[in-house]
Amino acid sequence: MLRFKNMPKEPTNSPLNSEVLEAAREMGRNISQTVDSLLADEVKRRNWVQWNEENQAAVTAYNDRTAAHGLALAKYRTWGQALGDGRATPACS
């Protein structure tokens, strides 16, 4: 998972829609902080999209194996609606 430390800010020159910028200023929004936060969220989101694309084959293979053979240690489970091996959990009193 990506985590961004509180690092020094780097000045950038990004043209923004003047009406949106003015409305944000009128609302008292900190433009730099808002853009920084939204950009960090977008970078994290795209990182997960990329991870999912790169690992899709492995995820599919794992899901197929689990569907065919069940969870590896399911017979040792003691929680949940079912024990994972077809046995129902005893009713709680």
Side-chain angles (χ1 to χ4, degrees):
M1 173 185 269
L2 289 177
R3 295 181 194 268
F4 298 106
K5 300 175 184 173
N6 288 331
M7 299 297 290
K9 303 290 183 184
E10 184 174 327
T12 60
N13 194 7
S14 299
L16 300 173
N17 180 308
S18 60
E19 288 182 22
V20 173
L21 190 58
E22 183 58 32
R25 284 184 180 139
E26 288 174 4
M27 293 177 184
R29 298 293 309 187
N30 180 324
I31 306 303
S32 177
Q33 185 179 33
T34 301
V35 171
D36 191 51
S37 175
L38 291 170
L39 184 57
D41 289 346
E42 180 63 7
V43 168
K44 290 175 189 176
R45 185 190 71 78
R46 287 182 183 232
N47 181 65
W48 277 112
V49 167
Q50 181 180 349
W51 185 93
N52 281 312
E53 288 171 357
E54 291 171 356
N55 292 283
Q56 186 59 47
V59 170
T60 300
Y62 175 80
N63 288 338
D64 291 346
R65 184 188 180 289
T66 301
H69 304 289
L71 295 172
L73 301 174
K75 65 182 177 183
Y76 300 108
R77 285 181 57 185
T78 59
W79 67 90
Q81 296 299 319
L83 296 175
D85 61 359
R87 293 181 294 150
T89 353
C92 296
S93 303

